[in-house]
Amino acid sequence: RNSVQGHNNKKSSIDLPQTNQLDASITNTTTTNITSRSKTIFPKGSANTYNPFWLVTSKTRKIAITIIPKVMCSTIRNTMSITIENCTTKTNPGGVRCAEARRSGQKNFTYMEEQNYTTILILRDPFERALSAYHNSGTNPHIYTQHCKSFKDCTFDRWVDDIVDQLKPKVPPKRTNEFGGNEHFLPQTRIAQLDEMNYHYLLRMSSRQDLDFFFGLLGLDSIPEKKNKSKNSNKRTDMPNNRTMSKLASVYKEDLILWQSLLHRRQEGEELTLYDYWN
């Protein structure tokens, strides 16, 4: 049984597998400060196998990030495309979203290594991410499950049952965007392709320090405001029960392992997430 100590001195525990397929360096290099994990970006040969479906790059700032649905992906994509790269529909392949590799026609990524790009991955508490998708389903037509087109149609527990069913182990496909189903529920570690790309910085969405650091790398003085923010934000009065969270943990095991490893860099007073309330 592994555990983390919350800043309210409440210990939250979680059952995690004793072994996992994550690179051991990922879970052993976190420190009290944000530090770069100096590695080559692409392990040998992986520049040709990494799937850039969620890759966003800034040639101006030499930053590359694999964005994850429900982890500030719209804010990051729009900031890097419009604010940093000045994308327009007239001057750039991919239009106002030209920073997205899949829209700009990028196929060769060796330049990232040659030009010393900084690679970043921002992660979110897996429980928070699932609950956020549930609340957001009322306004985002792309977020739904088999039995629930909106959070108004079912309870969060039923929503989670659908997610678990979608993510049951199947024959592993070769590419990230071949997993089928709704990409908003894919495990973050699967989208990140940790065996195909090395990330210099692993950051947390719930950490103001981490977000300030990331947007600072982009040359910004503050975190951009999210436009059209959903009114159905996560509410602690809507706390999922332990049974529901355990079901989520069953399909997000590797996400939880990685998330827990990053909590060693927590600062006093940092916002608690659903992970801290699960026991």
Side-chain angles (χ1 to χ4, degrees):
R1 179 168 285 266
N2 300 288
S3 63
V4 296
Q5 189 77 36
H7 290 305
N8 58 355
N9 295 321
K10 175 185 176 182
K11 179 173 287 189
S12 300
S13 54
I14 177 174
D15 284 314
L16 295 174
Q18 296 303 307
T19 59
N20 64 84
Q21 297 177 349
L22 296 178
D23 182 345
S25 65
I26 290 175
T27 58
N28 291 330
T29 58
T30 52
T31 65
T32 55
N33 298 309
I34 300 174
T35 55
S36 173
R37 301 161 59 243
S38 56
K39 280 189 172 183
T40 57
I41 295 175
F42 296 107
K44 187 176 181 180
S46 69
N48 297 319
T49 56
Y50 169 79
N51 180 4
F53 191 74
W54 294 110
L55 179 67
V56 177
T57 62
S58 168
K59 294 182 179 180
T60 302
R61 307 294 299 189
K62 289 185 170 49
I63 299 290
I65 180 171
T66 299
I67 59 173
I68 297 174
K70 298 309 301 174
V71 188
M72 296 186 74
C73 62
S74 296
T75 299
I76 295 169
R77 177 195 67 213
N78 293 340
T79 299
M80 292 180 68
S81 293
I82 300 172
T83 306
I84 307 302
E85 297 303 307
N86 298 311
C87 300
T88 69
T89 55
K90 296 181 180 180
T91 59
N92 298 93
V96 295
R97 292 168 65 169
C98 71
E100 290 184 82
R102 60 184 167 127
R103 294 182 182 274
S104 60
Q106 295 184 52
K107 295 182 180 179
N108 187 331
F109 303 98
T110 55
Y111 72 89
M112 289 168 50
E113 201 115 59
E114 296 165 355
Q115 299 180 28
N116 296 316
Y117 267 59
T118 298
T119 53
I120 296 171
L121 182 67
I122 299 179
L123 298 159
R124 187 174 190 177
D125 175 342
F127 300 126
E128 296 275 351
R129 180 172 174 249
L131 184 59
S132 176
Y134 172 70
H135 286 304
N136 196 209
S137 65
T139 56
N140 188 335
H142 300 294
I143 302 178
Y144 58 87
T145 67
Q146 181 180 356
H147 299 99
C148 308
K149 300 300 181 184
S150 165
F151 70 93
K152 300 175 183 178
D153 298 334
C154 64
T155 64
F156 183 59
D157 189 63
R158 179 53 193 270
W159 178 272
V160 169
D161 282 340
D162 279 358
I163 293 178
V164 171
D165 184 63
Q166 174 183 312
L167 296 177
K168 283 180 179 178
K170 301 178 178 67
V171 177
K174 297 180 180 179
R175 309 291 281 184
T176 302
N177 57 346
E178 291 176 358
F179 279 92
N182 196 307
E183 66 269 22
H184 294 85
F185 312 134
L186 286 178
Q188 297 171 79
T189 46
R190 192 179 295 178
I191 293 172
Q193 303 166 85
L194 297 168
D195 57 340
E196 304 289 339
M197 178 184 283
N198 290 318
Y199 295 96
H200 295 109
Y201 297 102
L202 299 177
L203 307 176
R204 289 172 295 125
M205 178 177 162
S206 59
S207 168
R208 179 59 185 258
Q209 179 195 35
D210 285 11
L211 295 184
D212 283 341
F213 175 78
F214 169 67
F215 287 107
L217 290 178
L218 293 178
L220 302 179
D221 295 328
S222 61
I223 301 171
E225 290 283 340
K226 181 180 179 180
K227 295 181 179 180
N228 302 320
K229 187 175 182 180
S230 173
K231 296 180 180 179
N232 302 302
S233 58
N234 298 4
K235 300 175 181 178
R236 290 293 170 258
T237 54
D238 191 24
M239 184 73 67
N241 60 53
N242 203 56
R243 177 174 170 272
T244 298
M245 295 176 76
S246 294
K247 287 189 290 186
L248 280 172
S250 70
V251 293
Y252 291 137
K253 286 181 180 179
E254 291 196 342
D255 285 9
L256 286 166
I257 291 171
L258 186 53
W259 178 257
Q260 186 184 53
S261 75
L262 299 180
L263 294 180
H264 296 292
R265 289 196 294 101
R266 268 184 160 175
Q267 293 190 324
E268 191 69 27
E270 189 174 303
E271 179 182 359
L272 297 176
T273 65
L274 285 174
Y275 179 94
D276 301 288
Y277 293 90
W278 187 39
N279 53 47

